[in-house]
Amino acid sequence: MKAGRFAKGAIVALLCAPAVAGISGTAHAESAPGCAGTTQIGSTAYITSGGTTFASVKQFVGCGKNWAYLYVWEGYRSTHSTWDACVAVGTTGDHALNGTQCRTHTTEIWSLPTNTVSVCTQAVGWIPDGASAKTSERC
C-alpha cells in the first residue's frame, strides 16, 4: 500500500511540475515603489531577443498614478552576463514616453510614477537599440 501512495504522489508531482515551473518565468510584482495599492491594468507584453523571452512588461495604476514595470526573465538572466532595459508609460494620443527609467543588469525596473490616469496609456519596455513591446492601451 505504501508503494501505491508513493506512486500516486509521484504522478501528482510530475503533473504539477510544469505549472510550477512556469511560475518562475513571470513577474510577480505587487506594488509600485511608494504606493502599496497598485493593480495591473491591460495585458502583459513580452520582449523577445534572439529567440528568447527577455522580459515581461506590465502597466499598473494606483495612488492616482500610472507606472510601467519590466521584469527580466530568469531564463535570459541565466544565459547573459549583462543587459540594458528601459520602461515607460506611453501616452497614446501624443506618443510621449513618461517616467522613463533605464537600468543595466537589473531584474526589475519600475518607471517613475506618472500623472497619466486621465489619458489613454500603455506600458512600453525596450532594449536600447533592440527589441521592444507594449501592453494593451488603457483609457
Side-chain angles (χ1 to χ4, degrees), residues 28-33 35 38 58-61 66-70 87-88 99-103 106 108-113:
H28 298 288
E30 294 186 26
S31 61
C35 180
T38 54
K58 298 180 179 189
Q59 182 177 194
F60 289 83
V61 66
N66 284 344
W67 284 267
Y69 173 79
L70 184 142
V87 67
T100 301
Q101 291 291 293
C102 296
R103 299 282 184 264
T106 302
E108 296 179 281
I109 306 170
W110 283 95
S111 73
L112 297 173

PDB file of all heavy atoms in Angstrom, residues 28-33 35 38 58-61 66-70 87-88 99-103 106 108-113:
ATOM      1  N   HIS A  28       6.091  38.796 -10.672  1.00  0.00           N
ATOM      2  CA  HIS A  28       5.124  38.749  -9.582  1.00  0.00           C
ATOM      3  C   HIS A  28       5.119  40.060  -8.821  1.00  0.00           C
ATOM      4  O   HIS A  28       5.166  40.079  -7.605  1.00  0.00           O
ATOM      5  CB  HIS A  28       5.452  37.581  -8.645  1.00  0.00           C
ATOM      6  CG  HIS A  28       5.363  36.264  -9.338  1.00  0.00           C
ATOM      7  ND1 HIS A  28       4.173  35.706  -9.711  1.00  0.00           N
ATOM      8  CD2 HIS A  28       6.323  35.416  -9.772  1.00  0.00           C
ATOM      9  CE1 HIS A  28       4.401  34.547 -10.328  1.00  0.00           C
ATOM     10  NE2 HIS A  28       5.700  34.366 -10.375  1.00  0.00           N
ATOM     11  N   ALA A  29       5.108  41.156  -9.544  1.00  0.00           N
ATOM     12  CA  ALA A  29       5.117  42.466  -8.914  1.00  0.00           C
ATOM     13  C   ALA A  29       3.813  42.677  -8.162  1.00  0.00           C
ATOM     14  O   ALA A  29       2.750  42.302  -8.636  1.00  0.00           O
ATOM     15  CB  ALA A  29       5.277  43.543  -9.964  1.00  0.00           C
ATOM     16  N   GLU A  30       3.917  43.259  -6.989  1.00  0.00           N
ATOM     17  CA  GLU A  30       2.721  43.501  -6.204  1.00  0.00           C
ATOM     18  C   GLU A  30       2.412  44.974  -6.038  1.00  0.00           C
ATOM     19  O   GLU A  30       1.256  45.351  -5.981  1.00  0.00           O
ATOM     20  CB  GLU A  30       2.841  42.820  -4.847  1.00  0.00           C
ATOM     21  CG  GLU A  30       2.860  41.303  -4.999  1.00  0.00           C
ATOM     22  CD  GLU A  30       2.831  40.605  -3.669  1.00  0.00           C
ATOM     23  OE1 GLU A  30       2.326  41.181  -2.706  1.00  0.00           O
ATOM     24  OE2 GLU A  30       3.314  39.470  -3.611  1.00  0.00           O
ATOM     25  N   SER A  31       3.421  45.795  -5.906  1.00  0.00           N
ATOM     26  CA  SER A  31       3.149  47.212  -5.733  1.00  0.00           C
ATOM     27  C   SER A  31       4.322  48.053  -6.219  1.00  0.00           C
ATOM     28  O   SER A  31       5.472  47.660  -6.128  1.00  0.00           O
ATOM     29  CB  SER A  31       2.844  47.524  -4.270  1.00  0.00           C
ATOM     30  OG  SER A  31       3.939  47.195  -3.457  1.00  0.00           O
ATOM     31  N   ALA A  32       3.965  49.219  -6.717  1.00  0.00           N
ATOM     32  CA  ALA A  32       4.977  50.154  -7.212  1.00  0.00           C
ATOM     33  C   ALA A  32       5.676  50.817  -6.029  1.00  0.00           C
ATOM     34  O   ALA A  32       5.098  50.919  -4.941  1.00  0.00           O
ATOM     35  CB  ALA A  32       4.302  51.206  -8.082  1.00  0.00           C
ATOM     36  N   PRO A  33       6.884  51.284  -6.216  1.00  0.00           N
ATOM     37  CA  PRO A  33       7.593  51.977  -5.134  1.00  0.00           C
ATOM     38  C   PRO A  33       6.787  53.180  -4.640  1.00  0.00           C
ATOM     39  O   PRO A  33       6.353  54.012  -5.430  1.00  0.00           O
ATOM     40  CB  PRO A  33       8.892  52.441  -5.792  1.00  0.00           C
ATOM     41  CG  PRO A  33       9.061  51.556  -6.980  1.00  0.00           C
ATOM     42  CD  PRO A  33       7.671  51.201  -7.436  1.00  0.00           C
ATOM     43  N   CYS A  35       3.756  53.164  -3.391  1.00  0.00           N
ATOM     44  CA  CYS A  35       2.302  53.008  -3.477  1.00  0.00           C
ATOM     45  C   CYS A  35       1.944  51.544  -3.284  1.00  0.00           C
ATOM     46  O   CYS A  35       2.139  50.721  -4.186  1.00  0.00           O
ATOM     47  CB  CYS A  35       1.773  53.495  -4.825  1.00  0.00           C
ATOM     48  SG  CYS A  35      -0.030  53.323  -4.988  1.00  0.00           S
ATOM     49  N   THR A  38      -1.373  49.206  -5.804  1.00  0.00           N
ATOM     50  CA  THR A  38      -1.422  49.211  -7.265  1.00  0.00           C
ATOM     51  C   THR A  38      -2.073  47.941  -7.804  1.00  0.00           C
ATOM     52  O   THR A  38      -2.020  46.890  -7.174  1.00  0.00           O
ATOM     53  CB  THR A  38      -0.011  49.349  -7.877  1.00  0.00           C
ATOM     54  OG1 THR A  38       0.822  48.328  -7.346  1.00  0.00           O
ATOM     55  CG2 THR A  38       0.588  50.702  -7.590  1.00  0.00           C
ATOM     56  N   LYS A  58       4.460  45.315 -17.943  1.00  0.00           N
ATOM     57  CA  LYS A  58       3.112  45.480 -17.401  1.00  0.00           C
ATOM     58  C   LYS A  58       2.869  46.940 -17.063  1.00  0.00           C
ATOM     59  O   LYS A  58       3.811  47.692 -16.832  1.00  0.00           O
ATOM     60  CB  LYS A  58       2.941  44.650 -16.121  1.00  0.00           C
ATOM     61  CG  LYS A  58       3.100  43.165 -16.335  1.00  0.00           C
ATOM     62  CD  LYS A  58       2.910  42.413 -15.038  1.00  0.00           C
ATOM     63  CE  LYS A  58       3.051  40.909 -15.255  1.00  0.00           C
ATOM     64  NZ  LYS A  58       2.663  40.151 -14.072  1.00  0.00           N
ATOM     65  N   GLN A  59       1.587  47.305 -16.992  1.00  0.00           N
ATOM     66  CA  GLN A  59       1.205  48.640 -16.539  1.00  0.00           C
ATOM     67  C   GLN A  59       0.377  48.502 -15.269  1.00  0.00           C
ATOM     68  O   GLN A  59      -0.466  47.611 -15.164  1.00  0.00           O
ATOM     69  CB  GLN A  59       0.401  49.389 -17.601  1.00  0.00           C
ATOM     70  CG  GLN A  59       0.047  50.792 -17.176  1.00  0.00           C
ATOM     71  CD  GLN A  59      -0.696  51.603 -18.221  1.00  0.00           C
ATOM     72  OE1 GLN A  59      -0.795  52.800 -18.081  1.00  0.00           O
ATOM     73  NE2 GLN A  59      -1.214  50.983 -19.259  1.00  0.00           N
ATOM     74  N   PHE A  60       0.629  49.403 -14.313  1.00  0.00           N
ATOM     75  CA  PHE A  60      -0.092  49.402 -13.050  1.00  0.00           C
ATOM     76  C   PHE A  60      -0.702  50.770 -12.803  1.00  0.00           C
ATOM     77  O   PHE A  60      -0.180  51.793 -13.279  1.00  0.00           O
ATOM     78  CB  PHE A  60       0.868  49.064 -11.892  1.00  0.00           C
ATOM     79  CG  PHE A  60       1.314  47.634 -11.885  1.00  0.00           C
ATOM     80  CD1 PHE A  60       2.361  47.205 -12.686  1.00  0.00           C
ATOM     81  CD2 PHE A  60       0.676  46.699 -11.073  1.00  0.00           C
ATOM     82  CE1 PHE A  60       2.778  45.886 -12.684  1.00  0.00           C
ATOM     83  CE2 PHE A  60       1.080  45.368 -11.074  1.00  0.00           C
ATOM     84  CZ  PHE A  60       2.129  44.969 -11.877  1.00  0.00           C
ATOM     85  N   VAL A  61      -1.797  50.786 -12.040  1.00  0.00           N
ATOM     86  CA  VAL A  61      -2.438  52.023 -11.624  1.00  0.00           C
ATOM     87  C   VAL A  61      -2.681  51.952 -10.124  1.00  0.00           C
ATOM     88  O   VAL A  61      -2.949  50.878  -9.583  1.00  0.00           O
ATOM     89  CB  VAL A  61      -3.752  52.282 -12.397  1.00  0.00           C
ATOM     90  CG1 VAL A  61      -4.807  51.241 -12.064  1.00  0.00           C
ATOM     91  CG2 VAL A  61      -4.284  53.686 -12.144  1.00  0.00           C
ATOM     92  N   ASN A  66       0.013  56.222 -12.793  1.00  0.00           N
ATOM     93  CA  ASN A  66       0.307  55.030 -13.591  1.00  0.00           C
ATOM     94  C   ASN A  66       1.792  54.742 -13.489  1.00  0.00           C
ATOM     95  O   ASN A  66       2.607  55.663 -13.395  1.00  0.00           O
ATOM     96  CB  ASN A  66      -0.041  55.238 -15.067  1.00  0.00           C
ATOM     97  CG  ASN A  66      -1.518  55.172 -15.342  1.00  0.00           C
ATOM     98  OD1 ASN A  66      -2.292  54.698 -14.542  1.00  0.00           O
ATOM     99  ND2 ASN A  66      -1.916  55.675 -16.498  1.00  0.00           N
ATOM    100  N   TRP A  67       2.125  53.462 -13.543  1.00  0.00           N
ATOM    101  CA  TRP A  67       3.518  53.018 -13.576  1.00  0.00           C
ATOM    102  C   TRP A  67       3.670  51.959 -14.651  1.00  0.00           C
ATOM    103  O   TRP A  67       2.762  51.160 -14.891  1.00  0.00           O
ATOM    104  CB  TRP A  67       3.923  52.331 -12.268  1.00  0.00           C
ATOM    105  CG  TRP A  67       4.187  53.207 -11.109  1.00  0.00           C
ATOM    106  CD1 TRP A  67       5.403  53.717 -10.727  1.00  0.00           C
ATOM    107  CD2 TRP A  67       3.261  53.650 -10.140  1.00  0.00           C
ATOM    108  NE1 TRP A  67       5.258  54.442  -9.579  1.00  0.00           N
ATOM    109  CE2 TRP A  67       3.947  54.421  -9.198  1.00  0.00           C
ATOM    110  CE3 TRP A  67       1.878  53.475  -9.977  1.00  0.00           C
ATOM    111  CZ2 TRP A  67       3.336  55.011  -8.114  1.00  0.00           C
ATOM    112  CZ3 TRP A  67       1.259  54.067  -8.895  1.00  0.00           C
ATOM    113  CH2 TRP A  67       1.984  54.832  -7.985  1.00  0.00           C
ATOM    114  N   ALA A  68       4.836  51.901 -15.265  1.00  0.00           N
ATOM    115  CA  ALA A  68       5.209  50.797 -16.144  1.00  0.00           C
ATOM    116  C   ALA A  68       6.210  49.942 -15.378  1.00  0.00           C
ATOM    117  O   ALA A  68       6.961  50.452 -14.534  1.00  0.00           O
ATOM    118  CB  ALA A  68       5.830  51.328 -17.428  1.00  0.00           C
ATOM    119  N   TYR A  69       6.204  48.653 -15.670  1.00  0.00           N
ATOM    120  CA  TYR A  69       7.048  47.701 -14.945  1.00  0.00           C
ATOM    121  C   TYR A  69       7.644  46.722 -15.935  1.00  0.00           C
ATOM    122  O   TYR A  69       6.949  46.243 -16.838  1.00  0.00           O
ATOM    123  CB  TYR A  69       6.187  46.965 -13.922  1.00  0.00           C
ATOM    124  CG  TYR A  69       6.878  45.830 -13.215  1.00  0.00           C
ATOM    125  CD1 TYR A  69       7.753  46.067 -12.159  1.00  0.00           C
ATOM    126  CD2 TYR A  69       6.647  44.513 -13.593  1.00  0.00           C
ATOM    127  CE1 TYR A  69       8.379  45.018 -11.497  1.00  0.00           C
ATOM    128  CE2 TYR A  69       7.264  43.456 -12.934  1.00  0.00           C
ATOM    129  CZ  TYR A  69       8.125  43.718 -11.894  1.00  0.00           C
ATOM    130  OH  TYR A  69       8.754  42.678 -11.240  1.00  0.00           O
ATOM    131  N   LEU A  70       8.924  46.420 -15.786  1.00  0.00           N
ATOM    132  CA  LEU A  70       9.608  45.456 -16.644  1.00  0.00           C
ATOM    133  C   LEU A  70      10.322  44.450 -15.748  1.00  0.00           C
ATOM    134  O   LEU A  70      11.000  44.835 -14.800  1.00  0.00           O
ATOM    135  CB  LEU A  70      10.621  46.178 -17.539  1.00  0.00           C
ATOM    136  CG  LEU A  70      11.359  45.322 -18.561  1.00  0.00           C
ATOM    137  CD1 LEU A  70      11.532  46.104 -19.862  1.00  0.00           C
ATOM    138  CD2 LEU A  70      12.717  44.891 -18.034  1.00  0.00           C
ATOM    139  N   VAL A  87      11.909  51.167 -19.462  1.00  0.00           N
ATOM    140  CA  VAL A  87      10.469  51.045 -19.355  1.00  0.00           C
ATOM    141  C   VAL A  87       9.872  52.439 -19.148  1.00  0.00           C
ATOM    142  O   VAL A  87      10.511  53.310 -18.538  1.00  0.00           O
ATOM    143  CB  VAL A  87      10.071  50.071 -18.215  1.00  0.00           C
ATOM    144  CG1 VAL A  87      10.436  50.628 -16.851  1.00  0.00           C
ATOM    145  CG2 VAL A  87       8.613  49.678 -18.289  1.00  0.00           C
ATOM    146  N   ALA A  88       8.668  52.649 -19.688  1.00  0.00           N
ATOM    147  CA  ALA A  88       7.997  53.945 -19.559  1.00  0.00           C
ATOM    148  C   ALA A  88       6.499  53.753 -19.737  1.00  0.00           C
ATOM    149  O   ALA A  88       6.041  52.740 -20.278  1.00  0.00           O
ATOM    150  CB  ALA A  88       8.525  54.923 -20.603  1.00  0.00           C
ATOM    151  N   GLY A  99       7.920  59.063 -17.471  1.00  0.00           N
ATOM    152  CA  GLY A  99       8.512  58.336 -16.344  1.00  0.00           C
ATOM    153  C   GLY A  99       9.584  57.348 -16.738  1.00  0.00           C
ATOM    154  O   GLY A  99       9.843  56.382 -16.017  1.00  0.00           O
ATOM    155  N   THR A 100      10.234  57.556 -17.860  1.00  0.00           N
ATOM    156  CA  THR A 100      11.221  56.599 -18.385  1.00  0.00           C
ATOM    157  C   THR A 100      12.329  56.299 -17.381  1.00  0.00           C
ATOM    158  O   THR A 100      12.905  57.211 -16.793  1.00  0.00           O
ATOM    159  CB  THR A 100      11.849  57.135 -19.685  1.00  0.00           C
ATOM    160  OG1 THR A 100      10.807  57.345 -20.647  1.00  0.00           O
ATOM    161  CG2 THR A 100      12.870  56.160 -20.255  1.00  0.00           C
ATOM    162  N   GLN A 101      12.600  55.011 -17.224  1.00  0.00           N
ATOM    163  CA  GLN A 101      13.711  54.539 -16.402  1.00  0.00           C
ATOM    164  C   GLN A 101      14.464  53.477 -17.193  1.00  0.00           C
ATOM    165  O   GLN A 101      13.853  52.554 -17.740  1.00  0.00           O
ATOM    166  CB  GLN A 101      13.210  53.930 -15.093  1.00  0.00           C
ATOM    167  CG  GLN A 101      12.609  54.941 -14.136  1.00  0.00           C
ATOM    168  CD  GLN A 101      13.665  55.866 -13.565  1.00  0.00           C
ATOM    169  OE1 GLN A 101      14.535  55.451 -12.814  1.00  0.00           O
ATOM    170  NE2 GLN A 101      13.592  57.138 -13.945  1.00  0.00           N
ATOM    171  N   CYS A 102      15.782  53.603 -17.245  1.00  0.00           N
ATOM    172  CA  CYS A 102      16.646  52.620 -17.904  1.00  0.00           C
ATOM    173  C   CYS A 102      17.654  52.113 -16.884  1.00  0.00           C
ATOM    174  O   CYS A 102      18.148  52.887 -16.058  1.00  0.00           O
ATOM    175  CB  CYS A 102      17.375  53.245 -19.089  1.00  0.00           C
ATOM    176  SG  CYS A 102      16.277  53.790 -20.422  1.00  0.00           S
ATOM    177  N   ARG A 103      17.949  50.834 -16.941  1.00  0.00           N
ATOM    178  CA  ARG A 103      18.882  50.226 -15.993  1.00  0.00           C
ATOM    179  C   ARG A 103      19.734  49.186 -16.711  1.00  0.00           C
ATOM    180  O   ARG A 103      19.328  48.602 -17.713  1.00  0.00           O
ATOM    181  CB  ARG A 103      18.155  49.546 -14.845  1.00  0.00           C
ATOM    182  CG  ARG A 103      17.283  50.452 -13.996  1.00  0.00           C
ATOM    183  CD  ARG A 103      18.114  51.261 -13.018  1.00  0.00           C
ATOM    184  NE  ARG A 103      17.281  52.057 -12.147  1.00  0.00           N
ATOM    185  CZ  ARG A 103      16.984  53.318 -12.359  1.00  0.00           C
ATOM    186  NH1 ARG A 103      17.430  53.935 -13.427  1.00  0.00           N
ATOM    187  NH2 ARG A 103      16.239  53.992 -11.506  1.00  0.00           N
ATOM    188  N   THR A 106      19.666  44.808 -14.208  1.00  0.00           N
ATOM    189  CA  THR A 106      18.669  44.872 -13.147  1.00  0.00           C
ATOM    190  C   THR A 106      17.499  43.966 -13.509  1.00  0.00           C
ATOM    191  O   THR A 106      17.026  43.987 -14.638  1.00  0.00           O
ATOM    192  CB  THR A 106      18.181  46.325 -12.967  1.00  0.00           C
ATOM    193  OG1 THR A 106      19.307  47.138 -12.668  1.00  0.00           O
ATOM    194  CG2 THR A 106      17.163  46.440 -11.863  1.00  0.00           C
ATOM    195  N   GLU A 108      14.304  43.897 -12.096  1.00  0.00           N
ATOM    196  CA  GLU A 108      13.030  44.607 -12.129  1.00  0.00           C
ATOM    197  C   GLU A 108      13.274  46.097 -12.309  1.00  0.00           C
ATOM    198  O   GLU A 108      14.135  46.662 -11.644  1.00  0.00           O
ATOM    199  CB  GLU A 108      12.264  44.411 -10.825  1.00  0.00           C
ATOM    200  CG  GLU A 108      11.861  42.985 -10.546  1.00  0.00           C
ATOM    201  CD  GLU A 108      11.127  42.884  -9.227  1.00  0.00           C
ATOM    202  OE1 GLU A 108      11.804  42.894  -8.184  1.00  0.00           O
ATOM    203  OE2 GLU A 108       9.893  42.819  -9.256  1.00  0.00           O
ATOM    204  N   ILE A 109      12.487  46.705 -13.180  1.00  0.00           N
ATOM    205  CA  ILE A 109      12.573  48.145 -13.383  1.00  0.00           C
ATOM    206  C   ILE A 109      11.157  48.717 -13.311  1.00  0.00           C
ATOM    207  O   ILE A 109      10.264  48.254 -14.023  1.00  0.00           O
ATOM    208  CB  ILE A 109      13.189  48.512 -14.742  1.00  0.00           C
ATOM    209  CG1 ILE A 109      14.546  47.834 -14.945  1.00  0.00           C
ATOM    210  CG2 ILE A 109      13.308  50.025 -14.888  1.00  0.00           C
ATOM    211  CD1 ILE A 109      15.083  47.956 -16.355  1.00  0.00           C
ATOM    212  N   TRP A 110      10.965  49.703 -12.474  1.00  0.00           N
ATOM    213  CA  TRP A 110       9.716  50.465 -12.405  1.00  0.00           C
ATOM    214  C   TRP A 110       9.962  51.822 -13.042  1.00  0.00           C
ATOM    215  O   TRP A 110      10.995  52.446 -12.813  1.00  0.00           O
ATOM    216  CB  TRP A 110       9.307  50.686 -10.949  1.00  0.00           C
ATOM    217  CG  TRP A 110       8.703  49.487 -10.297  1.00  0.00           C
ATOM    218  CD1 TRP A 110       9.358  48.564  -9.536  1.00  0.00           C
ATOM    219  CD2 TRP A 110       7.335  49.089 -10.330  1.00  0.00           C
ATOM    220  NE1 TRP A 110       8.469  47.615  -9.093  1.00  0.00           N
ATOM    221  CE2 TRP A 110       7.221  47.914  -9.563  1.00  0.00           C
ATOM    222  CE3 TRP A 110       6.187  49.608 -10.930  1.00  0.00           C
ATOM    223  CZ2 TRP A 110       6.008  47.250  -9.385  1.00  0.00           C
ATOM    224  CZ3 TRP A 110       4.983  48.946 -10.752  1.00  0.00           C
ATOM    225  CH2 TRP A 110       4.899  47.782  -9.989  1.00  0.00           C
ATOM    226  N   SER A 111       8.990  52.301 -13.800  1.00  0.00           N
ATOM    227  CA  SER A 111       9.069  53.677 -14.279  1.00  0.00           C
ATOM    228  C   SER A 111       8.842  54.601 -13.084  1.00  0.00           C
ATOM    229  O   SER A 111       8.441  54.157 -12.000  1.00  0.00           O
ATOM    230  CB  SER A 111       7.992  53.943 -15.340  1.00  0.00           C
ATOM    231  OG  SER A 111       6.700  54.018 -14.739  1.00  0.00           O
ATOM    232  N   LEU A 112       9.066  55.868 -13.300  1.00  0.00           N
ATOM    233  CA  LEU A 112       8.654  56.844 -12.304  1.00  0.00           C
ATOM    234  C   LEU A 112       7.135  56.925 -12.330  1.00  0.00           C
ATOM    235  O   LEU A 112       6.517  56.613 -13.372  1.00  0.00           O
ATOM    236  CB  LEU A 112       9.270  58.205 -12.629  1.00  0.00           C
ATOM    237  CG  LEU A 112      10.799  58.270 -12.582  1.00  0.00           C
ATOM    238  CD1 LEU A 112      11.275  59.626 -13.097  1.00  0.00           C
ATOM    239  CD2 LEU A 112      11.316  57.991 -11.191  1.00  0.00           C
ATOM    240  N   PRO A 113       6.487  57.346 -11.251  1.00  0.00           N
ATOM    241  CA  PRO A 113       5.033  57.495 -11.283  1.00  0.00           C
ATOM    242  C   PRO A 113       4.648  58.620 -12.250  1.00  0.00           C
ATOM    243  O   PRO A 113       5.353  59.626 -12.344  1.00  0.00           O
ATOM    244  CB  PRO A 113       4.678  57.861  -9.838  1.00  0.00           C
ATOM    245  CG  PRO A 113       5.936  58.380  -9.236  1.00  0.00           C
ATOM    246  CD  PRO A 113       7.063  57.718  -9.964  1.00  0.00           C
TER     247      PRO A 113
END
